[in-house]
Amino acid sequence: MHSIKFALIAGLAGLSASQALAEDTMGAMTMMKGGQVTAIMPDGHMGTMMPDAKMSAEMMKMAKPIKHCMMMITDAKGKAYMIDTSTKKAQAECEKMAM
């Protein structure tokens, strides 16, 4: 159950990062599909899945809505980091990137 919670939180946190990566690699931004779960590991690799209704309902019990734009970055070795976007300047930059 704890690993599901981590995967959900990591997936939600990585939503904006996955969009930025999609823009960089495919030339167009993509969005998550309804019910899709995205997981991001500390080494930067990501995975997605479409859980069944029961698993999705369990995950939604642990889910919290994203209140603002979020960004992630990877270092030269591929380790993923979450960027603090709590300031107005950082929020503006994040939103600019996500548009």
Side-chain angles (χ1 to χ4, degrees):
M1 189 62 133
H2 183 67
S3 62
I4 293 172
K5 183 177 180 181
F6 174 75
L8 180 63
I9 291 169
L12 293 175
L15 175 60
S16 63
S18 66
Q19 289 176 345
L21 290 172
E23 181 177 30
D24 187 47
T25 59
M26 297 186 297
M29 290 178 52
T30 61
M31 292 181 60
M32 291 176 65
K33 298 175 183 135
Q36 180 178 338
V37 177
T38 302
I40 301 172
M41 295 298 290
D43 67 359
H45 79 268
M46 301 185 325
T48 62
M49 69 180 247
M50 293 294 289
D52 61 26
K54 182 179 178 183
M55 186 177 199
S56 183
E58 286 296 316
M59 289 180 170
M60 285 303 292
K61 290 178 186 175
M62 299 178 289
K64 295 180 183 176
I66 296 174
K67 295 181 181 178
H68 54 80
C69 187
M70 300 171 72
M71 294 192 308
M72 296 184 70
I73 189 169
T74 55
D75 64 10
K77 295 180 181 179
K79 185 171 181 177
Y81 295 86
M82 203 160 138
I83 298 171
D84 179 10
T85 57
S86 59
T87 65
K88 286 189 177 194
K89 183 179 177 182
Q91 277 294 304
E93 189 63 33
C94 185
E95 291 169 6
K96 179 180 166 186
M97 186 188 307
M99 292 297 162

